[in-house]
Amino acid sequence: MMANKEMEKLLDDIMIEHITSAPISELITEYDLTTNEIKITQARFHDRIHECKQKFKKAKLKNARTQLETEKKKHEEVDVVGYLTKKGKGARDILVELFIQQKLPENLTVAHREGKEITDEDAKQILANLIAMGAINIDD
């Protein structure tokens, strides 16, 4: 039963390919169609393709939004204070330690701070982001 459906689908695909690649004059002759009927069919076909593209774009956007919300939740659930308490160190000390041990991602960059030191709040935020991204395992 399954093989029959697959065979029918394959035949349908072959027919569609044949029809879509055939010159208009051949279609008019073979199917006894008028030019107007072909133009109407082409317009319907183009409209359907446009609809499918729009649905695909919307689904892709919806998926991206879902992934973004998942990432946001990860950032909201990070307990930096608990992590710092567990380590018994300050956020800046942990960042320096991770840097020295080369446990930070290779492509990590920190913005130029115009000669200013990083604040504890900045360090906590960087740690929260690294934990949320999975770059730091809080169980270690």
Side-chain angles (χ1 to χ4, degrees):
M1 204 66 166
M2 185 73 151
N4 287 342
K5 285 185 180 183
E6 289 178 16
M7 206 55 160
E8 285 177 20
K9 185 172 174 13
L10 180 61
L11 288 173
D12 286 347
D13 290 347
I14 291 170
M15 286 297 293
I16 290 169
E17 179 67 29
H18 172 71
I19 291 169
T20 56
S21 63
I24 292 177
S25 58
E26 185 180 318
L27 294 173
I28 290 172
T29 306
E30 190 171 333
Y31 296 102
D32 195 29
L33 299 171
T34 65
T35 306
N36 193 37
E37 289 173 321
I38 289 177
K39 286 180 181 178
I40 291 170
T41 303
Q42 282 177 329
R44 285 183 186 156
F45 183 70
H46 286 286
D47 288 346
R48 184 68 180 125
I49 287 174
H50 182 72
E51 275 179 43
C52 290
K53 285 172 72 175
Q54 289 300 101
K55 285 181 183 178
F56 176 75
K57 286 178 183 178
K58 286 179 183 178
K60 194 173 178 181
L61 182 60
K62 185 178 180 181
N63 185 35
R65 283 186 181 140
T66 302
Q67 289 178 354
L68 178 63
E69 289 303 316
T70 301
E71 287 301 314
K72 282 183 179 179
K73 285 180 184 174
K74 284 183 189 176
H75 285 268
E76 291 169 1
E77 295 170 357
V78 172
D79 179 18
V80 178
V81 175
Y83 177 69
L84 294 174
T85 303
K86 181 177 145 184
K87 289 287 190 178
K89 298 178 183 176
R92 292 188 323 188
D93 295 332
I94 291 176
L95 284 175
V96 169
E97 198 175 282
L98 291 169
F99 178 75
I100 291 170
Q101 295 172 0
Q102 296 181 343
K103 289 188 175 180
L104 294 174
E106 287 179 26
N107 57 352
L108 176 70
T109 58
V110 179
H112 178 62
R113 306 199 52 82
E114 297 177 4
K116 298 178 185 173
E117 278 195 34
I118 189 170
T119 66
D120 286 333
E121 279 306 308
D122 291 336
K124 285 178 185 175
Q125 188 58 53
I126 292 169
L127 275 177
N129 291 339
L130 289 169
I131 291 168
M133 291 185 312
I136 297 175
N137 185 354
I138 60 174
D139 296 327
D140 284 348

